[in-house]
Amino acid sequence: MINLTINGKEQKVDVAGDTPLLWVIREHLQMTGTKFGCGAGLCGSCTVHINGEAVRSCQTAVSEAVGKKVTTIEGLDSKGQHPLQRAFVAEQVPQCGYCQSGQIMQAAALLAKNNDPSKAEIVEHMNGNLCRCMTYARIQRAILRAAADMRGV
């Protein structure tokens, strides 16, 4: 049995230590907000936080999460009202929505460290999170909006 802390709750799963964290989250714990995209850590759809750092869960063995705090999109805000979630709606970011949870989780890691990023810092931090619908300009606006909201501006 592997013991995990996911979204503040202790979870036990009976899987091999090298099982990708993505599959533990989706298949064993039935939290399907984290998406499978490429399986190679290249697209960012599977992004979650481990101790506040954005990681690709498809390339992270579940054993690497033991004793650490894992946060998925479901745990970012219990009511789905994190400033980024609200900003993504306000800026009409989602089209197909497939990359959305990974984009939000990647951006949340940035805003946790820097709540006033420049456009260049956003582009650098978000590089590697792919959007098939090409809504990158809307994603950037949503991040800037959320940052302003978090600063109370």
Side-chain angles (χ1 to χ4, degrees), residues 43-47 49 56 73 76 84 88 93 97-110 125-132 135-136 139-140 143:
C43 74
S45 292
C46 68
T47 302
H49 295 171
R56 303 299 198 252
I73 190 72
L76 194 58
L84 279 163
F88 268 58
V93 173
Y98 203 81
C99 73
Q100 186 169 332
S101 61
Q103 296 280 357
I104 289 172
M105 294 305 289
Q106 185 73 24
L110 169 65
H125 186 81
M126 298 301 291
N127 187 30
N129 278 71
L130 304 179
C131 175
R132 297 171 187 174
T135 64
Y136 297 113
I139 291 167
Q140 289 173 14
I143 295 168

PDB file of all heavy atoms in Angstrom, residues 43-47 49 56 73 76 84 88 93 97-110 125-132 135-136 139-140 143:
ATOM      1  N   CYS A  43       3.110  17.877 -23.046  1.00  0.00           N
ATOM      2  CA  CYS A  43       1.989  18.779 -23.335  1.00  0.00           C
ATOM      3  C   CYS A  43       1.468  19.526 -22.119  1.00  0.00           C
ATOM      4  O   CYS A  43       0.864  20.587 -22.249  1.00  0.00           O
ATOM      5  CB  CYS A  43       0.851  18.020 -24.006  1.00  0.00           C
ATOM      6  SG  CYS A  43      -0.094  16.939 -22.902  1.00  0.00           S
ATOM      7  N   GLY A  44       1.641  18.992 -20.914  1.00  0.00           N
ATOM      8  CA  GLY A  44       1.215  19.670 -19.707  1.00  0.00           C
ATOM      9  C   GLY A  44      -0.217  19.421 -19.271  1.00  0.00           C
ATOM     10  O   GLY A  44      -0.643  19.933 -18.244  1.00  0.00           O
ATOM     11  N   SER A  45      -0.970  18.640 -20.015  1.00  0.00           N
ATOM     12  CA  SER A  45      -2.365  18.377 -19.638  1.00  0.00           C
ATOM     13  C   SER A  45      -2.481  17.697 -18.282  1.00  0.00           C
ATOM     14  O   SER A  45      -3.493  17.835 -17.599  1.00  0.00           O
ATOM     15  CB  SER A  45      -3.058  17.508 -20.689  1.00  0.00           C
ATOM     16  OG  SER A  45      -3.215  18.224 -21.885  1.00  0.00           O
ATOM     17  N   CYS A  46      -1.466  16.971 -17.889  1.00  0.00           N
ATOM     18  CA  CYS A  46      -1.495  16.198 -16.649  1.00  0.00           C
ATOM     19  C   CYS A  46      -0.864  16.922 -15.459  1.00  0.00           C
ATOM     20  O   CYS A  46      -0.611  16.320 -14.426  1.00  0.00           O
ATOM     21  CB  CYS A  46      -0.771  14.866 -16.871  1.00  0.00           C
ATOM     22  SG  CYS A  46       1.014  15.081 -17.132  1.00  0.00           S
ATOM     23  N   THR A  47      -0.651  18.219 -15.575  1.00  0.00           N
ATOM     24  CA  THR A  47       0.059  18.967 -14.537  1.00  0.00           C
ATOM     25  C   THR A  47      -0.698  18.977 -13.213  1.00  0.00           C
ATOM     26  O   THR A  47      -1.888  19.268 -13.161  1.00  0.00           O
ATOM     27  CB  THR A  47       0.322  20.416 -15.000  1.00  0.00           C
ATOM     28  OG1 THR A  47       1.089  20.377 -16.211  1.00  0.00           O
ATOM     29  CG2 THR A  47       1.079  21.207 -13.951  1.00  0.00           C
ATOM     30  N   HIS A  49       0.385  19.682  -8.711  1.00  0.00           N
ATOM     31  CA  HIS A  49       1.423  20.233  -7.838  1.00  0.00           C
ATOM     32  C   HIS A  49       1.882  19.171  -6.847  1.00  0.00           C
ATOM     33  O   HIS A  49       1.052  18.446  -6.297  1.00  0.00           O
ATOM     34  CB  HIS A  49       0.892  21.413  -7.025  1.00  0.00           C
ATOM     35  CG  HIS A  49       0.518  22.594  -7.849  1.00  0.00           C
ATOM     36  ND1 HIS A  49      -0.137  23.670  -7.316  1.00  0.00           N
ATOM     37  CD2 HIS A  49       0.686  22.881  -9.162  1.00  0.00           C
ATOM     38  CE1 HIS A  49      -0.352  24.566  -8.256  1.00  0.00           C
ATOM     39  NE2 HIS A  49       0.134  24.103  -9.390  1.00  0.00           N
ATOM     40  N   ARG A  56       4.633  17.100 -14.132  1.00  0.00           N
ATOM     41  CA  ARG A  56       3.876  16.303 -15.094  1.00  0.00           C
ATOM     42  C   ARG A  56       3.589  14.953 -14.444  1.00  0.00           C
ATOM     43  O   ARG A  56       4.491  14.148 -14.247  1.00  0.00           O
ATOM     44  CB  ARG A  56       4.664  16.106 -16.385  1.00  0.00           C
ATOM     45  CG  ARG A  56       5.098  17.382 -17.087  1.00  0.00           C
ATOM     46  CD  ARG A  56       3.915  18.229 -17.505  1.00  0.00           C
ATOM     47  NE  ARG A  56       4.282  19.194 -18.522  1.00  0.00           N
ATOM     48  CZ  ARG A  56       4.386  20.499 -18.312  1.00  0.00           C
ATOM     49  NH1 ARG A  56       4.136  20.998 -17.113  1.00  0.00           N
ATOM     50  NH2 ARG A  56       4.721  21.308 -19.290  1.00  0.00           N
ATOM     51  N   ILE A  73      -6.358  19.687  -9.803  1.00  0.00           N
ATOM     52  CA  ILE A  73      -7.284  20.772 -10.122  1.00  0.00           C
ATOM     53  C   ILE A  73      -8.485  20.747  -9.181  1.00  0.00           C
ATOM     54  O   ILE A  73      -8.996  21.791  -8.788  1.00  0.00           O
ATOM     55  CB  ILE A  73      -7.719  20.729 -11.618  1.00  0.00           C
ATOM     56  CG1 ILE A  73      -8.499  21.996 -12.019  1.00  0.00           C
ATOM     57  CG2 ILE A  73      -8.522  19.481 -11.924  1.00  0.00           C
ATOM     58  CD1 ILE A  73      -7.661  23.236 -12.135  1.00  0.00           C
ATOM     59  N   LEU A  76      -7.517  22.664  -6.018  1.00  0.00           N
ATOM     60  CA  LEU A  76      -7.069  24.055  -6.096  1.00  0.00           C
ATOM     61  C   LEU A  76      -8.027  24.963  -5.333  1.00  0.00           C
ATOM     62  O   LEU A  76      -7.613  25.834  -4.581  1.00  0.00           O
ATOM     63  CB  LEU A  76      -6.964  24.488  -7.556  1.00  0.00           C
ATOM     64  CG  LEU A  76      -6.204  25.768  -7.833  1.00  0.00           C
ATOM     65  CD1 LEU A  76      -4.778  25.703  -7.315  1.00  0.00           C
ATOM     66  CD2 LEU A  76      -6.211  26.062  -9.322  1.00  0.00           C
ATOM     67  N   LEU A  84      -7.743  31.989 -10.782  1.00  0.00           N
ATOM     68  CA  LEU A  84      -7.446  31.531 -12.138  1.00  0.00           C
ATOM     69  C   LEU A  84      -8.660  30.873 -12.789  1.00  0.00           C
ATOM     70  O   LEU A  84      -8.925  31.087 -13.973  1.00  0.00           O
ATOM     71  CB  LEU A  84      -6.271  30.552 -12.136  1.00  0.00           C
ATOM     72  CG  LEU A  84      -4.896  31.194 -12.094  1.00  0.00           C
ATOM     73  CD1 LEU A  84      -3.848  30.185 -11.681  1.00  0.00           C
ATOM     74  CD2 LEU A  84      -4.551  31.831 -13.425  1.00  0.00           C
ATOM     75  N   PHE A  88     -10.257  32.303 -16.171  1.00  0.00           N
ATOM     76  CA  PHE A  88     -10.367  31.510 -17.395  1.00  0.00           C
ATOM     77  C   PHE A  88     -11.772  31.606 -17.965  1.00  0.00           C
ATOM     78  O   PHE A  88     -11.953  31.666 -19.181  1.00  0.00           O
ATOM     79  CB  PHE A  88      -9.969  30.052 -17.156  1.00  0.00           C
ATOM     80  CG  PHE A  88      -8.515  29.751 -17.430  1.00  0.00           C
ATOM     81  CD1 PHE A  88      -7.506  30.420 -16.761  1.00  0.00           C
ATOM     82  CD2 PHE A  88      -8.167  28.795 -18.353  1.00  0.00           C
ATOM     83  CE1 PHE A  88      -6.178  30.147 -17.022  1.00  0.00           C
ATOM     84  CE2 PHE A  88      -6.834  28.507 -18.622  1.00  0.00           C
ATOM     85  CZ  PHE A  88      -5.839  29.186 -17.961  1.00  0.00           C
ATOM     86  N   VAL A  93     -11.367  31.480 -22.080  1.00  0.00           N
ATOM     87  CA  VAL A  93     -10.212  30.699 -22.510  1.00  0.00           C
ATOM     88  C   VAL A  93     -10.616  29.358 -23.131  1.00  0.00           C
ATOM     89  O   VAL A  93     -10.165  29.026 -24.218  1.00  0.00           O
ATOM     90  CB  VAL A  93      -9.217  30.469 -21.352  1.00  0.00           C
ATOM     91  CG1 VAL A  93      -8.107  29.500 -21.758  1.00  0.00           C
ATOM     92  CG2 VAL A  93      -8.615  31.802 -20.904  1.00  0.00           C
ATOM     93  N   GLY A  97     -11.263  22.743 -23.985  1.00  0.00           N
ATOM     94  CA  GLY A  97     -11.095  22.613 -22.547  1.00  0.00           C
ATOM     95  C   GLY A  97     -10.146  21.522 -22.104  1.00  0.00           C
ATOM     96  O   GLY A  97      -9.903  21.369 -20.913  1.00  0.00           O
ATOM     97  N   TYR A  98      -9.583  20.785 -23.035  1.00  0.00           N
ATOM     98  CA  TYR A  98      -8.770  19.640 -22.656  1.00  0.00           C
ATOM     99  C   TYR A  98      -7.523  20.034 -21.872  1.00  0.00           C
ATOM    100  O   TYR A  98      -7.172  19.390 -20.896  1.00  0.00           O
ATOM    101  CB  TYR A  98      -8.392  18.809 -23.884  1.00  0.00           C
ATOM    102  CG  TYR A  98      -8.068  17.406 -23.482  1.00  0.00           C
ATOM    103  CD1 TYR A  98      -9.080  16.488 -23.265  1.00  0.00           C
ATOM    104  CD2 TYR A  98      -6.764  17.007 -23.246  1.00  0.00           C
ATOM    105  CE1 TYR A  98      -8.807  15.203 -22.843  1.00  0.00           C
ATOM    106  CE2 TYR A  98      -6.473  15.728 -22.833  1.00  0.00           C
ATOM    107  CZ  TYR A  98      -7.495  14.829 -22.630  1.00  0.00           C
ATOM    108  OH  TYR A  98      -7.228  13.564 -22.201  1.00  0.00           O
ATOM    109  N   CYS A  99      -6.886  21.103 -22.260  1.00  0.00           N
ATOM    110  CA  CYS A  99      -5.641  21.514 -21.604  1.00  0.00           C
ATOM    111  C   CYS A  99      -5.889  22.358 -20.368  1.00  0.00           C
ATOM    112  O   CYS A  99      -4.957  22.665 -19.629  1.00  0.00           O
ATOM    113  CB  CYS A  99      -4.765  22.295 -22.575  1.00  0.00           C
ATOM    114  SG  CYS A  99      -5.381  23.970 -22.933  1.00  0.00           S
ATOM    115  N   GLN A 100      -7.127  22.742 -20.137  1.00  0.00           N
ATOM    116  CA  GLN A 100      -7.443  23.760 -19.146  1.00  0.00           C
ATOM    117  C   GLN A 100      -6.932  23.450 -17.750  1.00  0.00           C
ATOM    118  O   GLN A 100      -6.324  24.310 -17.116  1.00  0.00           O
ATOM    119  CB  GLN A 100      -8.946  23.999 -19.113  1.00  0.00           C
ATOM    120  CG  GLN A 100      -9.336  25.139 -18.209  1.00  0.00           C
ATOM    121  CD  GLN A 100     -10.776  25.532 -18.380  1.00  0.00           C
ATOM    122  OE1 GLN A 100     -11.356  25.371 -19.438  1.00  0.00           O
ATOM    123  NE2 GLN A 100     -11.364  26.045 -17.339  1.00  0.00           N
ATOM    124  N   SER A 101      -7.154  22.261 -17.236  1.00  0.00           N
ATOM    125  CA  SER A 101      -6.705  21.984 -15.869  1.00  0.00           C
ATOM    126  C   SER A 101      -5.186  22.055 -15.769  1.00  0.00           C
ATOM    127  O   SER A 101      -4.645  22.582 -14.791  1.00  0.00           O
ATOM    128  CB  SER A 101      -7.231  20.646 -15.355  1.00  0.00           C
ATOM    129  OG  SER A 101      -6.779  19.583 -16.148  1.00  0.00           O
ATOM    130  N   GLY A 102      -4.484  21.558 -16.765  1.00  0.00           N
ATOM    131  CA  GLY A 102      -3.030  21.630 -16.759  1.00  0.00           C
ATOM    132  C   GLY A 102      -2.525  23.065 -16.868  1.00  0.00           C
ATOM    133  O   GLY A 102      -1.568  23.449 -16.192  1.00  0.00           O
ATOM    134  N   GLN A 103      -3.190  23.861 -17.709  1.00  0.00           N
ATOM    135  CA  GLN A 103      -2.821  25.271 -17.845  1.00  0.00           C
ATOM    136  C   GLN A 103      -3.022  25.995 -16.516  1.00  0.00           C
ATOM    137  O   GLN A 103      -2.160  26.756 -16.069  1.00  0.00           O
ATOM    138  CB  GLN A 103      -3.674  25.950 -18.934  1.00  0.00           C
ATOM    139  CG  GLN A 103      -3.482  25.417 -20.323  1.00  0.00           C
ATOM    140  CD  GLN A 103      -2.259  25.950 -21.036  1.00  0.00           C
ATOM    141  OE1 GLN A 103      -1.526  26.782 -20.536  1.00  0.00           O
ATOM    142  NE2 GLN A 103      -2.021  25.444 -22.236  1.00  0.00           N
ATOM    143  N   ILE A 104      -4.166  25.762 -15.886  1.00  0.00           N
ATOM    144  CA  ILE A 104      -4.475  26.423 -14.617  1.00  0.00           C
ATOM    145  C   ILE A 104      -3.482  26.000 -13.535  1.00  0.00           C
ATOM    146  O   ILE A 104      -2.990  26.839 -12.773  1.00  0.00           O
ATOM    147  CB  ILE A 104      -5.933  26.155 -14.199  1.00  0.00           C
ATOM    148  CG1 ILE A 104      -6.878  26.919 -15.134  1.00  0.00           C
ATOM    149  CG2 ILE A 104      -6.174  26.539 -12.747  1.00  0.00           C
ATOM    150  CD1 ILE A 104      -8.351  26.580 -14.955  1.00  0.00           C
ATOM    151  N   MET A 105      -3.174  24.719 -13.467  1.00  0.00           N
ATOM    152  CA  MET A 105      -2.243  24.256 -12.437  1.00  0.00           C
ATOM    153  C   MET A 105      -0.832  24.816 -12.668  1.00  0.00           C
ATOM    154  O   MET A 105      -0.144  25.186 -11.716  1.00  0.00           O
ATOM    155  CB  MET A 105      -2.223  22.728 -12.380  1.00  0.00           C
ATOM    156  CG  MET A 105      -3.535  22.119 -11.913  1.00  0.00           C
ATOM    157  SD  MET A 105      -4.123  22.719 -10.315  1.00  0.00           S
ATOM    158  CE  MET A 105      -2.941  21.945  -9.215  1.00  0.00           C
ATOM    159  N   GLN A 106      -0.409  24.902 -13.908  1.00  0.00           N
ATOM    160  CA  GLN A 106       0.901  25.483 -14.216  1.00  0.00           C
ATOM    161  C   GLN A 106       0.911  26.961 -13.819  1.00  0.00           C
ATOM    162  O   GLN A 106       1.849  27.434 -13.192  1.00  0.00           O
ATOM    163  CB  GLN A 106       1.211  25.319 -15.706  1.00  0.00           C
ATOM    164  CG  GLN A 106       2.597  25.770 -16.112  1.00  0.00           C
ATOM    165  CD  GLN A 106       3.698  24.825 -15.666  1.00  0.00           C
ATOM    166  OE1 GLN A 106       3.466  23.649 -15.438  1.00  0.00           O
ATOM    167  NE2 GLN A 106       4.908  25.338 -15.543  1.00  0.00           N
ATOM    168  N   ALA A 107      -0.154  27.681 -14.173  1.00  0.00           N
ATOM    169  CA  ALA A 107      -0.239  29.105 -13.849  1.00  0.00           C
ATOM    170  C   ALA A 107      -0.332  29.323 -12.338  1.00  0.00           C
ATOM    171  O   ALA A 107       0.241  30.282 -11.814  1.00  0.00           O
ATOM    172  CB  ALA A 107      -1.439  29.725 -14.558  1.00  0.00           C
ATOM    173  N   ALA A 108      -1.044  28.452 -11.644  1.00  0.00           N
ATOM    174  CA  ALA A 108      -1.175  28.590 -10.187  1.00  0.00           C
ATOM    175  C   ALA A 108       0.175  28.478  -9.498  1.00  0.00           C
ATOM    176  O   ALA A 108       0.437  29.181  -8.509  1.00  0.00           O
ATOM    177  CB  ALA A 108      -2.144  27.540  -9.643  1.00  0.00           C
ATOM    178  N   ALA A 109       1.039  27.625 -10.003  1.00  0.00           N
ATOM    179  CA  ALA A 109       2.385  27.504  -9.427  1.00  0.00           C
ATOM    180  C   ALA A 109       3.158  28.813  -9.619  1.00  0.00           C
ATOM    181  O   ALA A 109       3.888  29.252  -8.724  1.00  0.00           O
ATOM    182  CB  ALA A 109       3.136  26.336 -10.057  1.00  0.00           C
ATOM    183  N   LEU A 110       2.987  29.451 -10.779  1.00  0.00           N
ATOM    184  CA  LEU A 110       3.636  30.739 -11.022  1.00  0.00           C
ATOM    185  C   LEU A 110       3.099  31.801 -10.066  1.00  0.00           C
ATOM    186  O   LEU A 110       3.870  32.498  -9.404  1.00  0.00           O
ATOM    187  CB  LEU A 110       3.397  31.184 -12.474  1.00  0.00           C
ATOM    188  CG  LEU A 110       3.787  32.635 -12.808  1.00  0.00           C
ATOM    189  CD1 LEU A 110       5.289  32.838 -12.661  1.00  0.00           C
ATOM    190  CD2 LEU A 110       3.312  33.000 -14.198  1.00  0.00           C
ATOM    191  N   HIS A 125       7.141  30.771 -18.099  1.00  0.00           N
ATOM    192  CA  HIS A 125       6.657  29.765 -17.155  1.00  0.00           C
ATOM    193  C   HIS A 125       5.674  28.788 -17.800  1.00  0.00           C
ATOM    194  O   HIS A 125       5.656  27.611 -17.455  1.00  0.00           O
ATOM    195  CB  HIS A 125       5.994  30.450 -15.957  1.00  0.00           C
ATOM    196  CG  HIS A 125       5.592  29.494 -14.890  1.00  0.00           C
ATOM    197  ND1 HIS A 125       6.478  28.994 -13.964  1.00  0.00           N
ATOM    198  CD2 HIS A 125       4.407  28.900 -14.630  1.00  0.00           C
ATOM    199  CE1 HIS A 125       5.848  28.153 -13.164  1.00  0.00           C
ATOM    200  NE2 HIS A 125       4.594  28.082 -13.545  1.00  0.00           N
ATOM    201  N   MET A 126       4.872  29.282 -18.735  1.00  0.00           N
ATOM    202  CA  MET A 126       3.843  28.451 -19.357  1.00  0.00           C
ATOM    203  C   MET A 126       4.375  27.673 -20.563  1.00  0.00           C
ATOM    204  O   MET A 126       3.673  26.810 -21.085  1.00  0.00           O
ATOM    205  CB  MET A 126       2.650  29.316 -19.779  1.00  0.00           C
ATOM    206  CG  MET A 126       1.955  30.020 -18.619  1.00  0.00           C
ATOM    207  SD  MET A 126       1.306  28.923 -17.345  1.00  0.00           S
ATOM    208  CE  MET A 126      -0.020  28.130 -18.249  1.00  0.00           C
ATOM    209  N   ASN A 127       5.593  27.964 -20.967  1.00  0.00           N
ATOM    210  CA  ASN A 127       6.188  27.269 -22.104  1.00  0.00           C
ATOM    211  C   ASN A 127       6.175  25.764 -21.847  1.00  0.00           C
ATOM    212  O   ASN A 127       6.617  25.302 -20.804  1.00  0.00           O
ATOM    213  CB  ASN A 127       7.625  27.751 -22.320  1.00  0.00           C
ATOM    214  CG  ASN A 127       8.223  27.199 -23.586  1.00  0.00           C
ATOM    215  OD1 ASN A 127       7.514  26.940 -24.547  1.00  0.00           O
ATOM    216  ND2 ASN A 127       9.534  27.028 -23.587  1.00  0.00           N
ATOM    217  N   GLY A 128       5.637  25.013 -22.777  1.00  0.00           N
ATOM    218  CA  GLY A 128       5.556  23.563 -22.611  1.00  0.00           C
ATOM    219  C   GLY A 128       4.154  23.090 -22.288  1.00  0.00           C
ATOM    220  O   GLY A 128       3.872  21.902 -22.384  1.00  0.00           O
ATOM    221  N   ASN A 129       3.262  23.992 -21.899  1.00  0.00           N
ATOM    222  CA  ASN A 129       1.850  23.630 -21.744  1.00  0.00           C
ATOM    223  C   ASN A 129       1.175  23.972 -23.070  1.00  0.00           C
ATOM    224  O   ASN A 129       1.060  25.139 -23.426  1.00  0.00           O
ATOM    225  CB  ASN A 129       1.188  24.405 -20.599  1.00  0.00           C
ATOM    226  CG  ASN A 129       1.469  23.777 -19.259  1.00  0.00           C
ATOM    227  OD1 ASN A 129       2.600  23.835 -18.774  1.00  0.00           O
ATOM    228  ND2 ASN A 129       0.470  23.168 -18.683  1.00  0.00           N
ATOM    229  N   LEU A 130       0.769  22.938 -23.771  1.00  0.00           N
ATOM    230  CA  LEU A 130       0.236  23.119 -25.111  1.00  0.00           C
ATOM    231  C   LEU A 130      -1.279  23.263 -25.102  1.00  0.00           C
ATOM    232  O   LEU A 130      -1.976  22.609 -24.325  1.00  0.00           O
ATOM    233  CB  LEU A 130       0.637  21.940 -25.994  1.00  0.00           C
ATOM    234  CG  LEU A 130       2.135  21.670 -26.091  1.00  0.00           C
ATOM    235  CD1 LEU A 130       2.408  20.469 -26.975  1.00  0.00           C
ATOM    236  CD2 LEU A 130       2.883  22.894 -26.586  1.00  0.00           C
ATOM    237  N   CYS A 131      -1.762  24.116 -25.995  1.00  0.00           N
ATOM    238  CA  CYS A 131      -3.200  24.306 -26.196  1.00  0.00           C
ATOM    239  C   CYS A 131      -3.495  24.016 -27.654  1.00  0.00           C
ATOM    240  O   CYS A 131      -3.046  24.740 -28.543  1.00  0.00           O
ATOM    241  CB  CYS A 131      -3.603  25.740 -25.832  1.00  0.00           C
ATOM    242  SG  CYS A 131      -5.329  26.093 -26.189  1.00  0.00           S
ATOM    243  N   ARG A 132      -4.235  22.959 -27.881  1.00  0.00           N
ATOM    244  CA  ARG A 132      -4.558  22.558 -29.254  1.00  0.00           C
ATOM    245  C   ARG A 132      -5.413  23.591 -29.970  1.00  0.00           C
ATOM    246  O   ARG A 132      -5.423  23.671 -31.188  1.00  0.00           O
ATOM    247  CB  ARG A 132      -5.269  21.209 -29.233  1.00  0.00           C
ATOM    248  CG  ARG A 132      -4.409  20.109 -28.681  1.00  0.00           C
ATOM    249  CD  ARG A 132      -5.195  18.841 -28.474  1.00  0.00           C
ATOM    250  NE  ARG A 132      -4.357  17.870 -27.784  1.00  0.00           N
ATOM    251  CZ  ARG A 132      -4.783  16.714 -27.349  1.00  0.00           C
ATOM    252  NH1 ARG A 132      -6.045  16.362 -27.525  1.00  0.00           N
ATOM    253  NH2 ARG A 132      -3.965  15.892 -26.738  1.00  0.00           N
ATOM    254  N   THR A 135      -5.361  29.092 -27.771  1.00  0.00           N
ATOM    255  CA  THR A 135      -5.903  30.233 -27.022  1.00  0.00           C
ATOM    256  C   THR A 135      -4.843  30.875 -26.126  1.00  0.00           C
ATOM    257  O   THR A 135      -5.168  31.415 -25.062  1.00  0.00           O
ATOM    258  CB  THR A 135      -7.128  29.813 -26.185  1.00  0.00           C
ATOM    259  OG1 THR A 135      -6.721  28.870 -25.195  1.00  0.00           O
ATOM    260  CG2 THR A 135      -8.232  29.248 -27.042  1.00  0.00           C
ATOM    261  N   TYR A 136      -3.626  30.880 -26.568  1.00  0.00           N
ATOM    262  CA  TYR A 136      -2.525  31.384 -25.741  1.00  0.00           C
ATOM    263  C   TYR A 136      -2.706  32.841 -25.309  1.00  0.00           C
ATOM    264  O   TYR A 136      -2.407  33.187 -24.169  1.00  0.00           O
ATOM    265  CB  TYR A 136      -1.177  31.205 -26.457  1.00  0.00           C
ATOM    266  CG  TYR A 136      -0.834  29.761 -26.694  1.00  0.00           C
ATOM    267  CD1 TYR A 136      -0.791  29.239 -27.978  1.00  0.00           C
ATOM    268  CD2 TYR A 136      -0.570  28.912 -25.626  1.00  0.00           C
ATOM    269  CE1 TYR A 136      -0.481  27.903 -28.196  1.00  0.00           C
ATOM    270  CE2 TYR A 136      -0.254  27.578 -25.831  1.00  0.00           C
ATOM    271  CZ  TYR A 136      -0.216  27.083 -27.126  1.00  0.00           C
ATOM    272  OH  TYR A 136       0.085  25.757 -27.334  1.00  0.00           O
ATOM    273  N   ILE A 139      -5.156  32.834 -22.543  1.00  0.00           N
ATOM    274  CA  ILE A 139      -4.540  32.262 -21.343  1.00  0.00           C
ATOM    275  C   ILE A 139      -3.693  33.322 -20.645  1.00  0.00           C
ATOM    276  O   ILE A 139      -3.775  33.495 -19.426  1.00  0.00           O
ATOM    277  CB  ILE A 139      -3.704  31.004 -21.691  1.00  0.00           C
ATOM    278  CG1 ILE A 139      -4.631  29.864 -22.127  1.00  0.00           C
ATOM    279  CG2 ILE A 139      -2.823  30.583 -20.515  1.00  0.00           C
ATOM    280  CD1 ILE A 139      -3.924  28.699 -22.788  1.00  0.00           C
ATOM    281  N   GLN A 140      -2.894  34.049 -21.420  1.00  0.00           N
ATOM    282  CA  GLN A 140      -2.062  35.110 -20.838  1.00  0.00           C
ATOM    283  C   GLN A 140      -2.934  36.177 -20.178  1.00  0.00           C
ATOM    284  O   GLN A 140      -2.637  36.615 -19.058  1.00  0.00           O
ATOM    285  CB  GLN A 140      -1.183  35.748 -21.913  1.00  0.00           C
ATOM    286  CG  GLN A 140      -0.072  34.856 -22.390  1.00  0.00           C
ATOM    287  CD  GLN A 140       0.671  35.466 -23.570  1.00  0.00           C
ATOM    288  OE1 GLN A 140       0.538  36.642 -23.868  1.00  0.00           O
ATOM    289  NE2 GLN A 140       1.453  34.639 -24.244  1.00  0.00           N
ATOM    290  N   ILE A 143      -4.293  34.874 -16.880  1.00  0.00           N
ATOM    291  CA  ILE A 143      -3.274  34.855 -15.828  1.00  0.00           C
ATOM    292  C   ILE A 143      -3.058  36.264 -15.286  1.00  0.00           C
ATOM    293  O   ILE A 143      -2.989  36.471 -14.066  1.00  0.00           O
ATOM    294  CB  ILE A 143      -1.964  34.223 -16.331  1.00  0.00           C
ATOM    295  CG1 ILE A 143      -2.196  32.743 -16.657  1.00  0.00           C
ATOM    296  CG2 ILE A 143      -0.838  34.397 -15.309  1.00  0.00           C
ATOM    297  CD1 ILE A 143      -1.058  32.079 -17.420  1.00  0.00           C
TER     298      ILE A 143
END
